[in-house]
């Protein structure tokens, strides 16, 4: 299957988002059953949020650079309607997952 750069980018973003933020949500949910007091749980959740954000930025940068270097002419092309549709769907999914993670974190920190 021959995917465009935009499609590869969208799939890459989806996988990175799902992996890193999924792990983050899983770990935050496990904090509720831990022996830590609420202050320690909040501090740990905040540090995990910072690390997850940092890992997303690093992973997106590194992997997008790799796929761009693999085929530089494809990376510089202007997208067609299909690419724009894929970008919109990917952005929508990524924002939904990120929004859910942020809300879960805020609720968990306030409880």
């Amino acid at each position: 299957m021959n995917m465009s750069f935009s499609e590869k980018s969208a799939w890459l973003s989806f996988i990175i988002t799902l992996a890193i933020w999924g792990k983050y949500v899983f770990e935050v949910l496990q904090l509720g059953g831990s022996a830590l007091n609420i202050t320690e749980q909040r501090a740990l959740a905040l540090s995990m949020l910072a690390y997850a954000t940092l890992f997303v930025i690093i992973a997106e940068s590194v992997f997008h650079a790799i796929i761009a270097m693999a085929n530089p002419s494809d990376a510089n092309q202007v997208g067609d309607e299909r690419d724009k549709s894929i970008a919109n769907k990917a952005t929508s999914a990524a924002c939904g997952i990120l929004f859910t993670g942020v809300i879960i974190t805020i609720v968990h920190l306030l409880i």
Side-chain angles (χ1 to χ4, degrees):
M1 183 180 199
N2 191 12
M3 293 189 288
S4 68
F5 176 80
S6 297
E7 192 172 357
K8 290 176 191 174
S9 175
W11 276 108
L12 183 64
S13 294
F14 175 71
I15 292 167
I16 289 170
T17 300
L18 193 62
I20 293 175
W21 291 112
K23 181 179 184 305
Y24 169 76
V25 168
F26 180 74
E27 289 177 356
V28 167
L29 291 175
Q30 285 184 330
L31 283 177
S34 70
L36 300 173
N37 66 35
I38 193 70
T39 306
E40 292 170 335
Q41 287 179 357
R42 288 181 180 170
L44 187 56
L46 187 58
S47 68
M48 288 174 10
L49 177 64
Y51 280 118
T53 304
L54 183 65
F55 290 150
V56 167
I57 292 169
I58 292 170
E60 290 274 353
S61 300
V62 168
F63 288 115
H64 278 89
I66 290 170
I67 63 171
M69 287 187 295
N71 197 353
S73 61
D74 192 25
N76 292 327
Q77 288 182 342
V78 177
D80 58 3
E81 287 298 318
R82 187 183 78 133
D83 288 336
K84 290 177 185 175
S85 174
I86 291 168
N88 287 338
K89 287 179 185 178
T91 300
S92 176
C95 288
I97 293 169
L98 179 60
F99 178 76
T100 303
V102 169
I103 295 300
I104 289 171
T105 302
I106 290 171
V107 169
H108 190 280
L109 290 173
L110 293 176
I111 293 178

